[in-house]
Every structure is written in C-alpha cells, then in structure tokens.
C-alpha cells in the first residue's frame, strides 16, 4: 500500500465540478484509491458522494492511499489532478 499527501488546489475546494473530475479520474485508475484527511478514516475515491462529504477546502491537506496494480502511478496522477485548480480547467 502506498500513500501521498496533497494540498487541494481548486479555488472552490473539492466541491461539485472538481470533485466530479477527481472521481472520474479515480475510477479510471487500475489501483484501488482512497482519500481522506490524515489520521481519519479514508473514503473510496470513486464515490462522488463520499468525496463531496469530505467538504475539503482549498489549501487543505488530504491523503491519497492506493493498493493494487500501478498504485504509485495512480497516486501520482491523482495527486497532480487534486493539486491543480480544477475550476480553472473549465
């Protein structure tokens, strides 16, 4: 199992559109990925409702954890996405 901490880069945090883009990207990964606040129970990164329930704001640090095929590659891709301003990508 691999993990990485990343800071949310989207202006609106991990809400609505940014969360949807993140969840879709997580669903395409070959590894099983979870997301959560460090030290708290993580949620499935492929679940939009679970990711939205985190109510993560801009600048907040979240932890991504992955296991399975190409776990490190999956983490790198999702961490880069999460750190970017997904609101600006519209």
């Amino acid at each position: 199992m691999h993990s990485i901490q990343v800071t949310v880069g989207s202006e609106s945090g991990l809400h609505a559109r940014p969360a949807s883009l993140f969840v879709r990207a997580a669903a395409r990964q070959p590894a099983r990925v979870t997301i959560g606040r460090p030290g708290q129970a993580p949620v499935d990164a492929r679940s939009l409702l679970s990711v939205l329930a985190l109510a993560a704001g801009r600048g907040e640090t979240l932890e991504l954890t992955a296991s399975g095929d190409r776990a490190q590659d999956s983490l790198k891709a999702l961490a880069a996405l999460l750190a970017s301003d997904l609101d600006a990508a519209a």
Side-chain angles (χ1 to χ4, degrees), residues 2-88:
H2 302 277
S3 64
I4 188 171
Q5 290 190 359
V6 61
T7 302
V8 177
S10 288
E11 187 68 35
S12 66
L14 200 52
H15 300 283
R17 184 174 185 279
S20 177
L21 292 172
F22 175 79
V23 166
R24 280 189 253 155
R28 290 191 301 267
Q29 299 304 314
R32 183 182 185 282
V33 181
T34 60
I35 183 171
R37 290 181 177 80
Q40 294 184 3
V43 299
D44 187 346
R46 298 169 298 177
S47 169
L48 182 58
L49 289 177
S50 295
V51 172
L52 286 171
L54 291 172
R58 182 176 194 188
E60 189 168 348
T61 299
L62 296 176
E63 185 171 38
L64 299 174
T65 304
S67 60
D69 292 343
R70 298 178 47 208
Q72 288 183 318
D73 293 338
S74 295
L75 286 179
K76 286 179 187 177
L78 292 173
L81 187 64
L82 193 58
S84 66
D85 186 356
L86 296 173
D87 294 312

